[in-house]
Every structure is written in C-alpha cells, then in structure tokens.
Amino acid sequence: MKVSPVALGNLQVENNVFLAPMAGYTDYPFRKIALKQGYGLCFTELVSAKGLMYGGKNNDDLVFCGQDCDKTAIQIFGSDAYSMRWACESNYLKNCKIVDINMGCPVPKVFKNGDGSALLTDIKKAEYIIKECVKSNKIITVKIRTGQVHGDDVATDFCMMAEQCGAKLVTIHGRVREDYYSGEPDYNAIYKAKLSVKIPIIANGGIFTMEDANAMMDKTGADGVMLARGAIANPFLVSELTNQKPTCNLKDFIKEHIENVKSFYPERRGVLEFRKFVSYYLRGIRDVKQNKLDLYKCHDFDSVLSIIDQIL
Ligand SMILES: Cc1cc2nc3c(=O)[nH]c(=O)nc-3n(C[C@H](O)[C@H](O)[C@H](O)COP(=O)(O)O)c2cc1C
C-alpha cells in the first residue's frame, strides 16, 4: 500500500497505518510494543467521559500513554457535551494531544445510553459534542460507522459535519451497527465520504493482509487504514504494510509484551490481561491445543513464559 505521513492539523504522524481502539486489548502494554512495529498512530480503548468526570478507578491506567503521547489518541465516549469537553480538558488528559470521539460503538450498554453508534442517529447532537470538544484545543478526531442498519450511509454527512466543526481526521469503520464486526466493508460509503472533505479519512474494517489493505486503499481512496483484529492476529502486519523490518520475531514480541504487562499490572491481573491474546498469537501454529489450555489456567508469568518457551 502507499505509505505516507498524515497531518492531524499541525501534528504530523509518520505514516498512515493506525492501530484501532479495542476495548480489553489496546491497553498501554500492548500499544507500547505495537507502536515499535511501526504504527503512525494508535488509539486507547473507549473511555467513558462521565467515568473520567466521576473518578472511575481505572481511569489512570486507561489513559496512560507514557512517552507515546504524540502517537496516541485517547478515545472517549459519551453523549453529554459538557462531560465530553470536561474530559478533554481534565487533568487525566493533560499530556495527551489527540482525543478521538467514539461514534461507532454498537454494544447495547453503550448504544442504549445514546452513546457510541447511537450518535449516528442524531447529527445535531454529534455536532454539538464535536464543537464543544474542539474548544478544548486538543486535536479532535472522530471514529464512526456507516450507519445503523443495512442500506444506511451517514458517512458523508458525518465527515462533512465533523470537518466543519474543526475535527482533524475521521476514521470510518465501513460497517453498520447491526453488522458488529462481520461482513464486507462498505467501500463505496467510505469513497464518497473521502471525496467530500479535505481532512484525512482513515478506512477501517476487515484488514488482515496486505491484499486487504491494498483493496481498502484502492476502493475507497482513503488516506490510510486502521487495523483492529488483524493487528492482534498478526503483530507484524503493520511492518509489512509500512515496508519496515519487524523489530523481532513472534517469540520475542510475546516476551516483550509480557514484560510490558508485568510492569504495568499486578501479576494476577496482568496474566488475565495477557491470556486474552494467546489464541490470536498462537493461531496457525500446529499441535498447541493442550498448551493453549494450559496457558488459560496460568496465574503467574513464570508458568506463562515456560509454556511459551515450549511452543516457540
Ligand atoms: C474486542 C474489540 C474491542 C473493540 N473496542 C473498540 C473501542 O473501544 N472503540 C472503538 O471505536 N472501536 C472498538 N472496536 C472496533 C474496532 O476498532 C474496529 O473498528 C473493528 O474491529 C473493525 O475492524 P476489523 O474488521 O479490522 O477488526 C473493537 C473491536 C473489537 C474486536
């Protein structure tokens, strides 16, 4: 794919392959090692603006980005413009430059509150939220889907509105809410949206290989791509897409991921967080069914590491 820098207002990121926000996966330990493989920008998982306002207990962990503030967008969600702007201006986000607004989450708990993808049904409310967040002087980006049900296409209207409000980039997950994460992306909806604005448009959905990325770029004309599940299933896909040499092999990647997890979470929690990645990392490796089952039972890192050593 064609690799090029992306300008988010006056901040330029090195390349146009982004790591998606993924709740439960794109925490700091994973983002830190993923960034080393070459992403131009990565996103935290969605963080509740009201949760930040009312002092939720995991807030500091969720928004932590260490030395990677210039390459990390903190994704917030909510439908109350006051708390969304409050979150942008809060101490939690004082070191961060980029705030992404979630307008795509399909999960019922989020949708029923009028947050995430529910905002796609109310462009006026979405507009007000973006305008308020832009007043915080953070670089505001927005992540949307193409609509609620098949046949919907709100992407162009939302991208034009976001640009007019001062957002600096929009990511379009080319699926509607009822699709959740399956089905072919709606390339045409992304293509039309891209033509209608000057701000960068990043295309997302179903990119697991170089061919998928090329097809996405060719069919949509987007400025770049965002990898989600493909980023976990193949941690080196980003290096391939950006023509960079992977910094290590899979075993060393896994070990470094474990080191990051170890220094970020208490051991028991860390092992639980890491175990979620196991089936992705070991996909395609033969005869490891029993090893995987053993890994799911581990509660300490020494046992995890010794099983990884047996497999790789
Ligand atoms: C486990 C999981 C968690 C996700 N969490 C978020 C999230 O916090 N915020 C968000 O905007 N999208 C979230 N997404 C959606 C992804 O960012 C992405 O839009 C979607 O997975 C489509 O990309 P893919 O087909 O390459 O996986 C999540 C997806 C998955 C699979």
Side-chain angles (χ1 to χ4, degrees):
M1 67 171 267
K2 185 167 178 275
V3 184
S4 48
V6 180
L8 289 82
N10 54 17
L11 179 84
Q12 177 153 300
V13 296
E14 248 165 62
N15 70 57
N16 51 349
V17 180
F18 292 0
L19 173 67
M22 277 180 283
Y25 290 90
T26 52
D27 58 0
Y28 178 68
F30 181 71
R31 294 196 313 270
K32 187 175 176 196
I33 182 156
L35 277 174
K36 276 175 86 173
Q37 299 310 315
Y39 288 99
L41 185 68
C42 68
F43 291 67
T44 68
E45 68 177 74
L46 79 177
V47 181
S48 162
K50 283 195 172 155
L52 291 175
M53 201 159 149
Y54 299 128
K57 67 176 172 18
N58 290 328
N59 286 344
D60 289 318
D61 284 356
L62 289 170
V63 303
F64 184 78
C65 38
Q67 304 297 310
D68 299 325
C69 293
D70 283 4
K71 288 186 171 185
T72 307
I74 312 284
Q75 190 188 65
I76 59 171
F77 77 97
S79 47
D80 167 52
Y82 177 79
S83 54
M84 293 291 274
R85 178 171 170 188
W86 186 94
C88 295
E89 292 174 343
S90 70
N91 247 346
Y92 287 115
L93 271 56
K94 69 173 185 299
N95 296 325
C96 104
K97 295 188 174 145
I98 312 160
V99 179
D100 186 61
I101 303 179
N102 180 310
M103 296 196 178
C105 182
V107 173
K109 202 170 74 179
V110 172
F111 178 79
K112 278 187 197 144
N113 281 332
D115 305 340
S117 60
L119 288 168
L120 299 176
T121 63
D122 191 343
I123 196 164
K124 284 281 153 214
K125 189 185 261 189
E127 180 177 1
Y128 184 48
I129 291 170
I130 299 173
K131 278 186 176 156
E132 282 303 299
C133 290
V134 165
K135 287 181 193 162
S136 70
N137 288 327
K138 298 286 183 196
I139 294 170
I140 300 298
T141 64
V142 184
K143 181 164 179 275
I144 63 169
R145 284 180 177 248
T146 51
Q148 304 291 324
V149 294
H150 292 287
D152 281 0
D153 177 7
V154 299
T156 298
D157 289 347
F158 267 73
C159 288
M160 288 170 66
M161 175 276 285
E163 180 175 55
Q164 276 158 17
C165 292
K168 299 294 188 246
L169 173 143
V170 178
T171 304
I172 307 174
H173 176 190
R175 297 186 177 108
V176 291
R177 180 172 67 88
E178 71 175 358
D179 281 339
Y180 269 69
Y181 305 115
S182 58
E184 167 126 315
D186 184 345
Y187 300 110
N188 197 37
I190 304 176
Y191 173 75
K192 284 191 294 177
K194 164 65 195 159
L195 282 182
S196 66
V197 291
K198 292 199 174 68
I199 55 172
I201 295 296
I202 302 297
N204 164 243
I207 301 173
F208 294 91
T209 62
M210 172 75 97
E211 290 68 40
D212 296 335
N214 285 336
M216 184 61 102
M217 292 291 279
D218 291 348
K219 291 180 184 175
T220 64
D223 298 281
V225 294
M226 175 184 274
L227 312 182
R229 290 164 299 171
I232 310 176
N234 177 2
F236 307 116
L237 180 57
V238 58
S239 327
E240 195 186 334
L241 297 183
T242 54
N243 309 313
Q244 299 177 73
K245 251 180 104 141
T247 61
C248 58
N249 59 26
L250 181 63
K251 183 172 184 177
D252 291 338
F253 182 93
I254 293 176
K255 286 191 163 177
E256 193 170 336
H257 185 187
I258 291 174
E259 281 310 312
N260 291 351
V261 171
K262 255 171 129 173
S263 46
F264 196 69
Y265 296 115
E267 179 141 14
R268 219 179 154 81
R269 162 97 191 270
V271 173
L272 290 178
E273 294 297 335
F274 176 75
R275 279 185 350 196
K276 294 183 205 164
F277 290 81
V278 163
S279 61
Y280 280 104
Y281 285 163
L282 301 181
R283 187 174 289 177
I285 302 179
R286 293 168 72 95
D287 302 326
V288 292
K289 200 167 163 207
Q290 189 55 48
N291 299 109
K292 278 189 194 172
L293 293 173
D294 293 342
L295 276 166
Y296 293 134
K297 288 186 207 139
C298 289
H299 291 291
D300 63 275
F301 283 115
D302 287 344
S303 322
V304 172
L305 282 164
S306 90
I307 299 172
I308 297 293
D309 276 333
Q310 286 165 35
I311 303 173
L312 294 169

